[in-house]
Amino acid sequence: MSATSVPATGPALSKSSPLYFSGQGGDFFRLLVNGSLLQIPTLGFYRFWLITKIRRHLWSSTQVAGEPFEYTGTAKELLLGFLIAIAILTPIYLAYAILAFALEEQHALASAPLVLIMYVLAHFGVYRARRYRATRTVFRGIRFWMKGRGWAYAARAILWDVATVLTLGLALPWASASLERYRMRHTYFGTIQGDFVGTGWVLFKRSWWTWALGLAGLVGGVAVMIRTAKSSPDTVNVMGGIVTLGVLLIIVGLAPAVMAIKTRWQLEGLRFGDVAVASNLSIGAFYGTFIKLILSSLGFLLAFGLVVSLGGGMFAGIFKRSLAQASVGGFNAYTVAGGVGIALAYLVLLLGLGVIQRYFMGRGLWERAVQSLWVSNLDALDAAAAAGEPVGATGEGLADALDFSVGI
Amino acid sequence: MTGAVFYDGASARRRSVAVRVTSSSVDIEEAGTWIASWPCGRVRRRDAPEGILRLMLDGEPTLARLDILDPGLQTAIRTQCRELDGRNVGERTTRIVLWSMAAALSVVLCVIYLVPVAATRLTPLVPLSWEQHLGRAVDNQVKLLAGDKVCAGLPGAIALATLSDRLRRAAMPAAGTSDTVVDIQVLDAAVPNAIALPGGRIYLFRALLDRAESVDEIAGVLAHEMGHVRHRDGLRKLIQAGGTSYLAGLLLGDVTGGGALVLASRMLLDSAHSRDAETAADAFAGQTMTSLGRPAGAMAQLLARIERNESKIPAFLSTHPVTEQRLKALEQFVPTVQGAPLLTDEEWRALKEVCKTS
Ligand SMILES: [Zn+2]
């Protein structure tokens, strides 16, 4: 039932067309491993090329009625965006450092609220990064593009964050709806304006039980802790561990359901003119991917531990000497070899977990979501004419420089 | 059955077209009408799923795309258009790797060589008043990390004041109004340590005082820290930490560096000054003690004793390792004329108990 078999003639496209993900897992895995290995000699600079390759793979493997999307962004643009972001951030960083010192002189930790500056910049960067990705997304020879202002979006996002915190997360569905509306109404496919019709109320109705369960777990945990502290104070540490683990398990257990509910709601609300999207993503759709993620991470950690302890035994002599040298401040071939060995092992661990995370959280969830979609009234897109200009990748650079994720 | 689909880049309309490939160009026709001819040399491949060969025209301002679906036609285009993937694909990856290796290497070399030099050059340019402001900020951080109980029990505090006064007069005889102000305090902390903050404050940790057996041992340590103050080693380290965290951020994609101040304060607490800075501070301590007519080697004995007896080597010693070289260098400072004891026995006992009486 490959989508490429959908005939390219008019009538078959009439009402509802499925989305199809045609990417091969093996290709993606090879791409990840090669890219990650290249990050080692380049000390991470290869990340711009890797992220571009990932996007090209995902975009071009996603087809609507046999027609693929295309990602036209380049790694050079990302690199340039990063350099511009550095140029913007350096004076901010300096001012920040001076202000932090001035405040810390009055009080330790007095500069903590300065993190807020970075937080505002983060929301701004997220919006601008989405804008960059939209203008590099091409479908049927027409690009997507975005209007709207990063600062206006950041202001909204911050107000909603405040409301969410004040209501213990209850406002989250309405926050998501409001922000998604802002994003989608400022998104265009050529001359066709996007829209978002999902409402906070619908998302709330679908997801309130996860919120209630999570909150109940938290309140229950706190209650148990208080009772333990009163009745048997010496077991409070053990109990604390058990309760934290329990609450953590509830949250981890609920996460795939929450993500599936939200993803479906978000996708179903998408509109471009008369073009509408439907999804049959089930609540349990992401659990398999999550379980695979956890199992392969554990497997990798186990294998890594085995290799390191075997290798460590073989090179124990070198490490001992290197430690002995380092402790008296010496600096010679042994310290260098030991240092490089430890750094390499650490890098391999980090990159390996990164590959696993990107394979399942990046590609895995993407595939599940895409396969759940139908698009209706696709013919309406014929009316779209080219519009919009490509924008720079400063937002992506900001996100990279400030170390927060904007997703794939 | 259509072999190709053309998107003209002006509208999203899907146009079923017929494609003819010659050795010079790819000609596109729709229902018998000519639309476009793409010169073979400028035709490039774009990403597409298996089964589709997606083409674009290099240098074309619009996003016009030609999707070839027919396998026969795909083969024809692959044989006629030789530069579908542009030129030198393999070379490009090598270049990326080489350039980014060069960039990464230059950042690393900056951290290792340039930042210390820059910090050394910048340090004398910073006005003392600024250093004192910085010092107060670092002071707050240190107290957060090491505890903030300053011991000022009365007889002990007076003894400390007497001792630091004698040391200061010997260490900085010409100390004028514009010079560094040294301010020594005892911090009630369980690690044997002593640190000098930027701006002139010196913290003697209670545990070091507990392990000392004579005034000369403590006096030597304090004189050593005064050497760090005099040479502004704390400020230099702060500048170095800031620069390093910024450059590391450049490399790893986190320019804010997660709080240079916290990092710098931690470095002050548990990482070394450079070897040169330590040697200079030792020499300073040696001269100071000699001019007071007291043995500088006493300090070395205290450090060596702690190193022998402590099961876990305290941070102070991993940063101030007692090498043979250091011991010898310190013991070479032998006063020609024996000076009077720096504190009376009674004052010394009071100083040892400074944390109990408060
Ligand atoms: Zn020292």
Side-chain angles (χ1 to χ4, degrees):
Chain A
M1 64 132 263
S2 134
T4 39
S5 70
V6 171
T9 44
L13 294 176
S14 62
K15 277 299 153 210
S16 205
S17 343
L19 259 74
Y20 180 68
F21 186 82
S22 61
Q24 298 295 314
D27 291 347
F28 191 72
F29 186 71
R30 261 191 301 281
L31 184 158
L32 281 180
V33 171
N34 287 341
S36 300
L37 286 177
L38 281 171
Q39 299 230 59
I40 296 179
T42 60
L43 281 182
F45 270 114
Y46 197 78
R47 64 180 180 275
F48 305 112
W49 281 266
L50 176 59
I51 196 79
T52 300
K53 282 187 171 161
I54 289 175
R55 287 180 191 166
R56 283 175 57 178
H57 175 95
L58 292 179
W59 265 238
S60 67
S61 303
T62 304
Q63 306 174 43
V64 186
E67 294 173 304
F69 285 89
E70 187 185 320
Y71 180 75
T72 59
T74 66
K76 267 189 202 152
E77 289 166 356
L78 290 185
L79 178 62
L80 192 67
F82 178 68
L83 293 179
I84 292 173
I86 296 274
I88 294 173
L89 284 176
T90 298
I92 294 180
Y93 175 72
L94 270 179
Y96 183 98
I98 290 167
L99 208 61
F101 271 117
L103 286 171
E104 294 276 333
E105 195 185 339
Q106 313 297 322
H107 234 302
L109 298 186
S111 72
L114 284 182
V115 174
L116 281 176
I117 299 174
M118 300 304 162
Y119 161 75
V120 175
L121 272 176
H123 277 306
F124 173 78
V126 164
Y127 192 79
R128 294 290 292 260
R130 190 182 187 277
R131 235 174 109 172
Y132 168 78
R133 271 170 291 163
T135 61
R136 296 306 186 282
T137 302
V138 172
F139 185 65
R140 290 187 171 188
I142 297 289
R143 81 167 84 250
F144 289 82
W145 57 288
M146 280 179 79
K147 281 183 180 169
R149 304 190 67 83
W151 295 119
Y153 178 81
R156 259 160 231 263
I158 288 161
L159 286 179
W160 275 114
D161 279 350
V162 172
T164 303
V165 170
L166 288 182
T167 58
L168 298 177
L170 201 61
L172 202 54
W174 286 273
S176 308
S178 165
L179 295 178
E180 189 62 27
R181 246 190 325 269
Y182 187 89
R183 287 191 293 253
M184 279 310 297
R185 284 184 182 166
H186 288 94
T187 305
Y188 291 76
F189 173 67
T191 46
I192 298 182
Q193 188 181 7
D195 192 10
F196 184 73
V197 298
T199 62
W201 178 239
V202 169
L203 180 58
F204 176 75
K205 274 197 296 192
R206 289 186 194 171
S207 63
W208 68 270
W209 58 274
T210 59
W211 175 78
L213 265 176
L215 201 66
L218 216 60
V219 171
V222 171
V224 168
M225 282 309 293
I226 291 173
R227 254 190 60 189
T228 318
K230 273 187 187 152
S231 57
S232 48
D234 20 309
T235 59
V236 101
N237 277 337
V238 183
M239 225 28 211
I242 295 172
V243 165
T244 314
L245 195 72
V247 172
L248 222 65
L249 272 178
I250 293 178
I251 291 171
V252 170
L254 284 176
V258 173
M259 280 176 74
I261 293 170
K262 185 164 177 212
T263 306
R264 178 172 175 173
W265 167 82
Q266 207 165 359
L267 291 169
E268 279 180 340
L270 299 184
R271 297 288 181 274
F272 276 98
D274 290 333
V275 181
V277 178
S279 167
N280 65 1
L281 197 68
S282 68
I283 290 178
F286 288 165
Y287 274 96
T289 313
F290 267 78
I291 289 168
K292 279 184 219 158
L293 169 77
I294 291 169
L295 288 182
S296 21
S297 300
L298 288 178
F300 174 74
L301 285 175
L302 204 68
F304 181 82
L306 266 174
V307 169
V308 163
S309 51
L310 282 178
M314 284 164 74
F315 295 108
I318 291 183
F319 278 112
K320 250 188 209 143
R321 274 187 232 186
S322 110
L323 269 181
Q325 288 291 329
S327 65
V328 295
F331 190 72
N332 60 18
Y334 285 115
T335 36
V336 173
V340 168
I342 291 168
L344 268 182
Y346 177 71
L347 265 179
V348 167
L349 180 70
L350 221 64
L351 293 174
L353 289 176
V355 166
I356 293 170
Q357 195 252 344
R358 280 184 156 140
Y359 186 84
F360 291 110
M361 298 300 282
R363 182 189 179 278
L365 298 186
W366 178 290
E367 182 181 10
R368 295 307 299 239
V370 165
Q371 300 278 38
S372 79
L373 293 178
W374 270 273
V375 174
S376 52
N377 290 324
L378 201 57
D379 302 349
L381 285 190
D382 286 354
E389 290 298 321
V391 297
T394 310
E396 299 249 3
L398 274 176
D400 195 18
L402 291 171
D403 214 13
F404 58 85
S405 169
V406 290
I408 294 293
Chain B
M1 170 73 199
T2 163
V5 178
F6 183 65
Y7 304 104
D8 54 24
S11 85
R13 206 155 51 86
R14 181 187 165 91
R15 302 167 73 173
S16 295
V17 292
V19 171
R20 214 179 42 233
V21 189
T22 66
S23 59
S24 61
S25 70
V26 177
D27 300 320
I28 307 163
E29 283 176 12
E30 187 183 30
T33 328
W34 175 89
I35 305 177
S37 289
W38 286 4
C40 260
R42 281 168 59 205
V43 172
R44 299 281 180 271
R45 184 214 311 266
R46 298 294 310 185
D47 301 324
E50 236 178 71
I52 301 178
L53 176 64
R54 170 164 286 191
L55 303 174
M56 66 171 278
L57 188 62
D58 192 28
E60 167 84 17
T62 68
L63 293 166
R65 295 287 186 270
L66 180 62
D67 283 6
I68 310 288
L69 309 175
D70 180 70
L73 206 52
Q74 289 179 3
T75 318
I77 287 177
R78 282 205 184 91
T79 41
Q80 295 293 350
C81 304
R82 294 279 170 179
E83 285 175 21
L84 280 185
D85 291 315
R87 277 165 228 175
N88 312 326
V89 186
E91 230 173 75
R92 229 181 289 156
T93 316
T94 321
R95 226 173 41 217
I96 293 165
V97 172
L98 286 180
W99 271 112
S100 38
M101 273 172 82
L105 196 69
S106 76
V107 171
V108 170
L109 288 179
C110 270
V111 168
I112 296 178
Y113 296 108
L114 220 58
V115 170
V117 172
T120 306
R121 287 287 154 86
L122 278 173
T123 303
L125 301 181
V126 178
L128 267 181
S129 62
W130 290 21
E131 186 181 337
Q132 276 155 10
H133 283 292
L134 284 176
R136 278 193 281 275
V138 174
D139 193 7
N140 282 323
Q141 277 292 325
V142 166
K143 280 182 174 160
L144 205 68
L145 294 167
D148 60 355
K149 200 173 160 282
V150 173
C151 302
L154 253 192
I158 293 170
L160 181 64
T162 312
L163 178 61
S164 47
D165 203 44
R166 291 216 172 115
L167 283 170
R168 192 184 313 135
R169 253 184 253 154
M172 305 167 183
T177 43
S178 68
D179 219 331
T180 327
V181 190
V182 177
D183 167 26
I184 304 174
Q185 296 193 350
V186 179
L187 210 56
D188 191 4
V191 230
N193 202 352
I195 55 172
L197 308 187
R201 173 159 292 179
I202 292 170
Y203 280 127
L204 179 63
F205 288 23
R206 193 248 307 144
L208 192 66
L209 198 55
D210 288 347
R211 284 161 180 75
E213 287 170 2
S214 76
V215 200
D216 291 338
E217 293 178 356
I218 287 298
V221 169
L222 291 178
H224 171 95
E225 295 304 328
M226 280 181 174
H228 284 314
V229 169
R230 187 56 183 261
H231 304 136
R232 304 177 89 179
D233 290 331
L235 177 64
R236 177 161 50 240
K237 197 190 255 184
L238 205 65
I239 296 174
Q240 200 171 330
T244 304
S245 83
Y246 177 73
L247 284 174
L250 260 188
L251 206 63
L252 304 172
D254 181 4
V255 199
T256 55
L261 181 63
V262 177
L263 185 73
S265 306
R266 267 187 190 282
M267 274 176 81
L268 263 182
L269 274 182
D270 48 38
S271 90
H273 289 291
S274 73
R275 229 186 224 187
D276 290 346
E278 289 307 332
T279 312
D282 274 351
F284 188 86
Q287 280 153 19
T288 306
M289 294 299 279
T290 309
S291 71
L292 283 165
R294 306 303 306 175
M299 164 206 180
Q301 281 153 23
L302 169 63
L303 298 186
R305 189 178 329 123
I306 294 172
E307 196 169 54
R308 268 198 311 276
N309 298 345
E310 226 71 11
S311 56
K312 188 174 145 272
I313 294 179
F316 178 48
L317 279 177
S318 65
T319 68
H320 291 79
V322 192
T323 56
E324 284 298 310
Q325 238 178 340
R326 254 189 101 188
L327 280 176
K328 275 198 196 114
L330 277 169
E331 269 155 12
Q332 266 163 14
F333 289 98
V334 183
T336 43
V337 187
Q338 194 79 359
L342 293 171
L343 292 179
T344 64
D345 285 351
E346 200 180 331
E347 284 173 320
W348 170 235
R349 269 194 302 277
L351 177 56
K352 290 261 294 178
E353 310 230 306
V354 69
C355 286
K356 284 174 198 152
T357 42
S358 57

